[in-house]
Amino acid sequence: MSESGAEQATKRFICGVCEGFYGKPWTLEQRQELFCRMQRFGMNTYLYAPKDDYKHRLYWRELYNQDEMDELKTLIESAKQRNVDFVYALSPGLDIVYSNSDDVNMLKMKLDQVKNLGCVHFALLFDDIEDELSNEDSNSYFSIAHAQCSLTNDMYHYLGKPELFLFCPTEYCTSRTVPDMAKSLYLQTIGGKLDPKIDFLWTGPRVVSRQITVESIKEVTEIVKRPVTIWDNLHANDYDQTRLYLGPYDGRPTELVGQLRGVLTNPNCEFEANFIAMHTLAQWSINSSSKFPASHDDNYMETEGFEDDGEDVAAEKPEKGSKYCPKKALVMAVTDWLPELYKMKKLSGGKPADLETQRGGKPDANHESASSSQMAAAASGENSRSPESKRRFDPLSVMDVVLLCDLFYLPYEHGPQASQLLQSARWLVSNFKLLADHPGRRFVSRGRIEWYDKAIHFHDCYANLSIVVDRFVNIPNRELLYEMYSYINDMRSNLALVNSYIKWHGIDKPEKEPFKTGEQEPWVHRGGLLAEFRRLLPIERGNDSGKSFDLGPQSYIIRLYLSTDKDEVYSVCMKTFDDRMDASDILGGYPQLAGDLVVGALLKSYAQHCFVIEDEMGLCGFAAVAPSASDYYRLFGDEWMPELRKKYKLTTDNKADAATDEPIHRLTLEDVTKRIDSTLPSVAEEILSRYPGFVQVCIVPGRVFSRSVTQTLSKVLGASGLTGFHTLIPIDSHAELEFYYSLGLTDVTESCAGLENWIVLAKSLDA
C-alpha cells in the first residue's frame, strides 16, 4: 500500500548533500563547514555514506571506538545546530547473509550505537553489489529483492520507524535494471514489499545522468509506489580523478520538484570545489534566487577578458526571484563564492609549502585575514612591475572564476567559453594544410588569412587564461587552492603545449620541431599504464570499419541518407551556400533554394548513393554522389534546372550588399539568378573517364575534422565501386576551394578547355 497524497504533502522536500563517493572522506572540519553552507543555502539533509570509510561498507560489522563515536556525535550535534537532518547510512550488501541472525543482530548493534549518539535518521544502501543471493540465503528468500526488503523493513521497525529512512536499491538507475525498468522484477518486488514509509533512492536513467525527465520519474514512481529521492551524481568525479565539475545544476527541469521526494547531490571528492554544485542545486530546488544572501550585490563585477561567442550571461545582473536558469545560476553562485576564495584558510592537517606561480610570484598565506585589495598589493616590488605583470596580481573577478568553471563544467558538456576554445584549437590543428602552397592556386588564400587570425585569437585566449590561473594561485584560501591547483595548472600546461604546437606551425616556426618521434618527456603522454590499457578499447581509438570513427571528445558517423534527412541536409546547404558561409540573410525568403541548387537533383535521382555526417549535436554534413557524372550532367541540365526556373521567379533587386564598399557577403540574389539561368559546363571526356563520379560534399564549418572525414568517405565511396570522382565549384569560391583541398581533391581544371567560370577538382580512388 503506497503512502497517501496527504501524508506525502506534509513532508518537506529533501534538498541536500550525499557524501557517498569513493575516495578520501571529508574531515570533521569540512563537514562542519558543509553544514554552515547548507544552512545558508536553505538545504536540509546530509547523508553520511563515504564509500571508503571502512566501517561504513567493507567492515560494517565493526563497532566504532570511543574517538570515532565522539567525532560522530559532534557531527550529529553540529548538523542539528544548523537545522540539517543527519542521515547515517550503512552499506552491508557486500557480504551480509540476510538469513543469518548473527549478521542481523550485528547490524542492529551498529545502528543502535549511532542512535545512542543522537542520530534519528538512517539509511541502508545496497548499491554496487552482486544481484544474486548467496547459497546460504537461497533457501530463505525468493530473490535478492525479497531479502533486502525483509532486512530493511526489520531495521526500520527496530529503530522505531524513523521520520526519514532511505533505501538505496541494487538496481538504482534505468541502465542497471534487468531486463529493463518496465519489466524489472526487482523493482516490482521493492514496490510491493518495502514499507511504503521508507524512501527510495534513484540516480536517474544512468549512474551519472545527463538528463532526468518528468516522464522517467513518473514511470519509476509508479513501479516502486512512492516518490523517489534522486541521488544525483552529476557533479561526482570519483570515477575520473582527472576531472573536476564546477558547472551549474542542469539537465533536470524544475517541474521535477513536484514529482520527487527530494534531491541529494553526491559531488566532487574535493570538498572546497562543491560550492557551485550546492549553491545551484539550492537555487533549482526553489526555482528562484530570491532566498539567497544579498551580500554579493555591492561586489558584482563586470565581464572582462575571455569572449563567449556573443552570449554573455553576465551582461546583466541576475535578477532576484527570477526563474531558474543554469547559466545565471552559475554567475550567482560564483558571485557568492568569490569572497570564500579570499578567506584565510590553511590546508587541513598543517601548514603547506607555498606554491609558486609560473612567473615566480609567491602567494602570502601567513596573515590571519586578507582582502582582495590587500592581495593585489601583497607581492613585493609591485610598483616596478609592468602593467601586464601587475594584471597577474589583480584580484579574481566573477568572470575570471566563470572561465575556470567553464573549463571544468559538467560530465557531458564543456562550458561555453571552453567549447569555443576547443573548437578553435580543433579547427586550427585540422587546417594546417591551409598554410601550405598548392600547385595551380590562382589567388592569395583567404583560408591562410583566416587561419592566422584564429591562431592569434587562440593565443590571446590562452594568455588570458594564464593570467587568471596566476590570480587564482594567489588566493588566501590555501585549502581551496590546494584541492584545485593540480586540475587548473594541468589545464594551463596542456593548453600551453597546444598553443606552442599551433605557433610552431604557423607563427614562428623554428628549425627545431616541438614534438619528435621517439622518447618524450613524461608530461607529454599522460596516464601511464592506465592510458595504455584504455587505448585498447574501441571508444579510445579509431574504428576502421568505415562506419564510425572516434575523435576523443568529438566523434562522428557517416551513414546512408534517409528521406527524413532532407530538411537537415538542406539546412546544411543554406549554412554553407555563400562560399561556406551562411546565406540565410540573402535567401531567407527561399529556404529550399540553396538545397535545390546544390544537392536537390542528387537526392532525387541518386539517394541510394548519398551519405550524411552526424556528430554529437546532430546532422552536420553530407556527401552526395552520382556514380555516372555524364548521366548526372544530362539530368541536371535537361530536367532539374527547368523545374527550378519554374519554381523560383527571382528578382535581382538586392541593394543591401551593394551599399557598402566591403559587403559582409559577396553573394546576391542576382548571382543566384544567374546560376539558375546558366547550365553546367561541358567536362572533358578525359576527366569523365578518369574520375567518372560526381560528388557534392558540404560540412558545417568547425563541426568535424575534414581530414578524418576524408579517410572515412574515401573508403565508403571506394566500396561503392568508384575509381574516382570530381566536382565543380565557381571560380570565385575561395573558401570552398580550400575545403575541397582539405578533402584531398586536386585542381584538374587545366585538363578542361573552355571553363572560364568554373574550377574542376578531382580525386582518384585507384590506390
Side-chain angles (χ1 to χ4, degrees), residues 599-717:
V599 75
L602 291 166
L603 296 182
K604 180 179 180 180
S605 300
Y606 303 98
Q608 70 274 26
H609 298 291
C610 297
F611 305 88
V612 295
I613 304 165
E614 291 181 326
D615 64 6
E616 296 167 337
M617 296 184 287
L619 197 149
C620 62
F622 65 85
V625 183
S628 171
S630 300
D631 292 344
Y632 170 71
Y633 289 142
R634 200 160 32 248
L635 168 75
F636 189 86
D638 296 344
E639 300 179 21
W640 187 249
M641 290 307 295
E643 289 185 22
L644 294 192
R645 294 185 186 106
K646 293 179 181 178
K647 181 177 180 180
Y648 298 103
K649 298 178 181 179
L650 299 178
T651 66
T652 60
D653 183 15
N654 184 34
K655 306 296 184 183
D657 288 332
T660 60
D661 293 333
E662 295 182 3
I664 296 176
H665 294 283
R666 297 171 297 96
L667 189 69
T668 65
L669 286 179
E670 183 176 3
D671 298 326
V672 178
T673 303
K674 289 179 179 178
R675 286 183 64 172
I676 292 178
D677 289 338
S678 66
T679 59
L680 288 177
S682 299
V683 178
E685 286 298 326
E686 179 183 351
I687 297 295
L688 296 175
S689 176
R690 187 173 180 183
Y691 311 103
F694 179 85
V695 66
Q696 286 279 21
V697 182
C698 289
I699 301 175
V700 177
R703 290 285 288 272
V704 296
F705 290 115
S706 300
R707 182 168 51 196
S708 300
V709 171
T710 301
Q711 298 169 354
T712 310
L713 192 59
S714 295
K715 292 180 181 179
V716 172
L717 297 178

